[in-house]
Each structure stands twice: as structure tokens, then as C-alpha cells.
Amino acid sequence: MPKLLNKIIRTLIISDFFLNSGWGLMGPIFAIFIVKNVAMGSISEAAKIAGFAALSFWITKSLLQIPIGRYLDKNHGEKDDFWFMVAGTFLLALVPIGFLFSSQAWHIYALQMLHALAASLNFPSWSAIFTRHIDKGREAFQWGTHSTVSGMGVGLAGGIGGIAVAYFGFEIVFIFVSALSLLCGFLLFIIKNDISLENEKTVRIPVQRV
């Protein structure tokens, strides 16, 4: 019986599972962190900071992602895709560590912009490699497997994020998120020698990652 997932697809899915699981821990606690550590207990001030933090992330990501994607498309081969993907993953690991030292609103905004840069490096390159290496005839299954596995990671992490903070504090959780991001970056090196120098496969339109 043929393998349902080839090595590259399997590695990308596993790496993304850990990445999404780590950042899933941040979901239920980020606003609480802002209230306690940045807004000094002010709910209204925390709401403003959280709103502008989201704005900082999405505007930066929206501005950077398209030109980065165009650059990757113009350079044949997957080596640049691979290194952009790895660089973005390792940059993501810096963001939670930065939160540990955040005490002002502009710290949060700057870190969200760094987060956006990292995501802009990671997402187009990850998607390009994933779509090139999907096995013909298994496109729906393999995209569905990725969505399911990533969704499970986010869901489980979201469920335990608040509990983890209650027992261990923000510092330990942020360090753990950073460690998982680093793990994802190192996992990607498993496929370093398997990606192609020349892009000879048809690129399919990817779906949105979780």
C-alpha cells in the first residue's frame, strides 16, 4: 500500500502542527497578558492596545506578503523558498521572548510587526513547497490532513493555554512557545536535501493555513 503522505508533506505537516500548537497557547492569554503587564489593569487601555496590535500585525503582513511571494516566484527552484521558510520560523521564535520584556504599548506593536515579517517569510514559501510536492490525485486528502492536524494543535493548545498560565505563569508559557517554534525550524532541515533545485511542477493554489 502506497504511503498516504510523502516525506516532504509529512514533515511540513508535523512542523506546522507544533508551530500552530505553540502559538495556539497564546490565543486565550494574550489579552490577559496585555491587561496585566502593559495596561496595568486598565481594561479600556488593554482593549486599545490589543486592537492596534492586531492592526500592526495584519497591515504589515498584508504589505510584505505579496512582494515576498512575487520574489520567490521569480526565482526558479526551491532553495530560496526553503531558506525563507526556515528564516521566518526562527524569527517567530523571537516574538514570545520579546513579550517577556514588554512593558509599553509600542513594544507590543513592534513585536507584532516582527511577527508579521516572520509570517510573511514563512507562509508563501511554506505554501509553495507544500503545493509543489502534493501527490497527484491526493490533493484534497493531503490539504485536508494538514488542516485537520493543525486545527487539532490549535484547539488543544487553546484549551490548555489559560490553565498553563494559571499554574506556570506567562514567562514559562512564552518560553515554551518559543521553544516549539525553534523545534519547527529544526524539523524543516529534515527535507533540506529533498527539495528540488528547479521548479518543474505545477503550482496549485493553496488554501489558507490555520
Side-chain angles (χ1 to χ4, degrees), residues 190-202:
I190 294 174
I191 60 173
K192 180 177 181 293
N193 296 324
D194 296 298
I195 61 175
S196 59
L197 290 173
E198 296 296 332
N199 176 13
E200 298 175 350
K201 296 187 178 183
T202 302

Side-chain angles (χ1 to χ4, degrees), residues 50-171:
F52 278 105
L55 177 67
S56 300
F57 174 82
W58 287 108
I59 290 296
T60 304
K61 186 172 183 285
S62 298
L63 291 174
L64 294 177
Q65 197 163 240
I66 291 177
I68 288 174
R70 285 178 60 83
Y71 170 81
L72 293 174
D73 284 341
K74 289 180 179 179
N75 289 271
H76 296 292
E78 290 185 317
K79 294 298 183 183
D80 53 345
D81 294 41
F82 175 80
W83 288 113
F84 271 57
M85 178 174 62
V86 169
T89 304
F90 282 128
L91 275 178
L92 282 171
L94 298 178
V95 178
I97 299 300
F99 288 141
L100 294 176
F101 303 96
S102 298
S103 59
Q104 302 292 326
W106 72 267
H107 296 162
I108 301 297
Y109 306 149
L111 287 168
Q112 286 293 84
M113 293 174 71
L114 177 62
H115 186 183
L117 170 62
S120 298
L121 293 173
N122 176 273
F123 178 73
S125 52
W126 187 99
S127 298
I129 294 175
F130 192 96
T131 51
R132 291 189 194 107
H133 291 276
I134 285 181
D135 295 309
K136 186 176 181 181
R138 295 180 186 158
E139 295 88 350
F141 170 77
Q142 292 183 354
W143 271 116
T145 299
H146 168 261
S147 180
T148 298
V149 172
S150 294
M152 288 176 60
V154 173
L156 290 172
I160 66 175
I163 299 173
V165 167
Y167 280 95
F168 305 110
F170 290 107
E171 293 80 5

